[in-house]
Amino acid sequence: MKFFPLVLANLGRHKRRTILTIASVALALFLFASLRTVVTTLERTAQFGSARRLVATNATGLILPLPLGYANRLRVADGVSAVSWANWFGGKYGDNQRFFAQFAVDPASYLAMYPEIVLPEDQKQAFLRERSSAIIGRRLLDLFGWRLGQNVTLQGTIYPGDWTFTIRGVYTPSDPVINDDMMLFHHEYLEERTGRKGQVGWYVLEIDDANKAAPVAKLIDDQFRNSSAPTKTGTEQAFNASFATMWGNVSLLMGTIGMAVVFAILLVTANAMMMSARERTGEVAVLKTIGFTDRRLFGLVMLETGIITLAGAAIGLGGAKLLYRATNFNAAGFLPGFDVTSSTLLIGAAVALLLMLASGLVPAVRAARLPVVQALRRVE
């Protein structure tokens, strides 16, 4: 540690270069952490789902409805303990600058099916009693300045017209993978306004035994196979994963971009360290003449590189962790639970270590092997 002031003095010789190099490393690792968090968030979303919940959709496509009359037949199916249903609404609010999802649901059965949607009991009862009411995620209060009891009007897209709902509840999800910016309202209200009764978007089924998910799903699909609206039933996890795969091979794309950014910054850092080493050729020769060993000079150069890369890593990785948590970022509802994981921080730290070794080894070896006489003659 007694040579630490010497290292700091060398770093402070070209303050602008040092600061810009640290900033480059910080930016590279910030981008790396951000891109990898997109991947980990999508993976968590794809893996979300109770082992006891199944989702039944129209076999032809999700956009086609299923008859509401299926509900009674599903309730008595072997292995099914509860049934609920939902419908995508797709309305716009205000200038439509901020998207959020809206679903028409069967209130009592849907809330019972999803205990992850935590709602105060008095607000729940108020929601159940009033057909034109809705519950919203807590994030929407901050986004739009809404409050309990307020009337909110959406402009319908799939279902045209102005739709006014009264906010009777604000939920907080117990699992961050569930969006905290959804709106849920009564399916009966949707039927009443549109006049299209007896249609649902999809069914959610709760089964008695998670180990029987596959046979129960097959039993349901066989039951409606020859009907006008055949079903496609699978686990809730598979249903959520199907949306994640719509993004394509995001893991490969984000990983490639992240490593390309890190490699580009590696070249910048290595160039800065080599410039610094060349400028101090004479000083290194003098240090050798007064007794500094090759090993010690190697260590001093590597310590310089380590300070730059570790400082950049702390700023970049720490900044990503703190920024996304402080802003509660969720990419307008497309990436719920967006948060830099511990594994991402560890991988980022490993990348910083590799960056330090790759950019510091060449100048450190050159400094250690520098012939004193030749170096002094070069200075002259």
Side-chain angles (χ1 to χ4, degrees):
M1 293 300 293
K2 65 180 179 179
F3 298 108
F4 193 68
L6 176 61
V7 174
L8 292 180
N10 287 331
L11 291 174
R13 176 176 301 178
H14 295 286
K15 294 183 177 64
R16 183 177 300 174
R17 180 196 299 168
T18 300
I19 292 173
L20 289 176
T21 306
I22 292 175
S24 298
V25 175
L27 178 61
L29 292 174
F30 177 86
L31 293 174
F32 171 82
S34 300
L35 293 172
R36 190 172 189 277
T37 302
V38 172
V39 176
T40 57
T41 302
L42 288 174
E43 288 175 349
R44 286 203 308 272
T45 301
Q47 293 169 4
F48 171 77
S50 170
R52 293 181 55 203
R53 286 197 292 256
L54 303 180
V55 177
T57 63
N58 193 304
T60 307
L62 182 61
I63 62 173
L64 297 178
L66 291 171
L68 184 56
Y70 283 9
N72 291 329
R73 297 171 64 181
L74 290 171
R75 288 191 183 98
V76 298
D78 288 341
V80 177
S81 57
V83 176
S84 189
W85 55 88
N87 226 98
W88 173 259
F89 181 67
K92 299 186 296 183
Y93 177 72
D95 56 6
N96 199 32
Q97 293 296 312
R98 175 56 164 87
F99 165 84
F100 64 96
Q102 313 102 32
F103 298 98
V105 302
D106 182 59
S109 62
Y110 197 85
L111 292 178
M113 190 82 71
Y114 285 94
E116 297 94 342
I117 299 176
V118 181
L119 188 68
E121 185 61 29
D122 58 332
Q123 296 180 16
K124 176 181 176 181
Q125 295 305 320
F127 171 55
L128 294 176
R129 286 193 301 268
E130 189 174 345
R131 184 173 296 185
S132 62
S133 65
I135 60 174
I136 61 172
R138 185 162 298 279
R139 186 188 295 264
L140 294 181
L141 295 180
D142 300 326
L143 284 174
F144 301 121
W146 293 347
R147 64 184 184 280
L148 279 175
Q150 179 178 344
N151 289 331
V152 175
T153 300
L154 304 182
Q155 292 78 47
T157 53
I158 302 173
Y159 307 98
D162 290 339
W163 295 71
T164 301
F165 304 95
T166 304
I167 300 174
R168 293 302 182 196
V170 179
Y171 72 85
T172 304
S174 61
D175 191 318
V177 173
I178 296 180
N179 273 333
D180 60 354
D181 56 358
M182 294 187 300
M183 171 184 280
L184 305 179
F185 63 94
H186 289 241
H187 191 267
E188 288 185 352
Y189 184 56
L190 178 68
E191 291 184 317
E192 180 183 291
R193 283 285 309 272
T194 61
R196 304 178 192 174
K197 294 189 177 182
Q199 294 183 339
V200 303
W202 61 87
Y203 285 99
V204 185
L205 317 173
E206 187 173 77
I207 58 177
D208 298 327
D209 186 354
N211 296 320
K212 296 181 179 179
V216 171
K218 184 178 185 304
L219 176 67
I220 292 169
D221 291 343
D222 289 344
Q223 185 178 5
F224 300 108
R225 191 173 304 281
N226 296 320
S227 67
S228 59
T231 60
K232 179 182 178 182
T233 308
T235 62
E236 185 181 45
Q237 187 176 100
F239 181 72
N240 291 329
S242 67
F243 287 97
T245 56
M246 291 172 62
W247 291 60
N249 196 342
V250 177
S251 299
L252 177 62
L253 176 63
M254 296 299 175
T256 302
I257 295 174
M259 294 314 298
V261 170
V262 171
F263 180 73
I265 300 303
L266 166 64
L267 297 179
V268 173
T269 308
N271 182 63
M273 293 305 301
M274 288 180 182
M275 287 177 60
S276 178
R278 281 197 300 270
E279 291 171 356
R280 297 205 307 271
T281 300
E283 294 177 18
V284 171
V286 172
L287 290 175
K288 284 194 169 188
T289 61
I290 62 175
F292 277 70
T293 63
D294 292 349
R295 181 179 296 180
R296 181 164 294 168
L297 287 171
F298 178 88
L300 289 176
V301 176
M302 289 302 297
L303 182 58
E304 282 187 41
T305 310
I307 291 174
I308 290 175
T309 53
L310 294 180
I315 296 171
L317 298 175
K321 179 71 174 180
L322 296 175
L323 176 65
Y324 294 128
R325 177 163 291 186
T327 58
N328 199 16
F329 177 79
N330 74 345
F334 290 99
L335 295 171
F338 192 89
D339 187 34
V340 181
T341 62
S342 299
S343 63
T344 297
L345 294 177
L346 289 174
I347 294 174
V351 169
L353 181 61
L354 291 174
L355 187 63
M356 178 190 75
L357 294 174
S359 61
L361 275 176
V362 173
V365 170
R366 283 186 177 180
R369 293 181 176 179
L370 183 68
V372 177
V373 175
Q374 183 181 0
L376 292 175
R377 182 181 296 119
R378 179 181 175 181
V379 173
E380 292 175 356

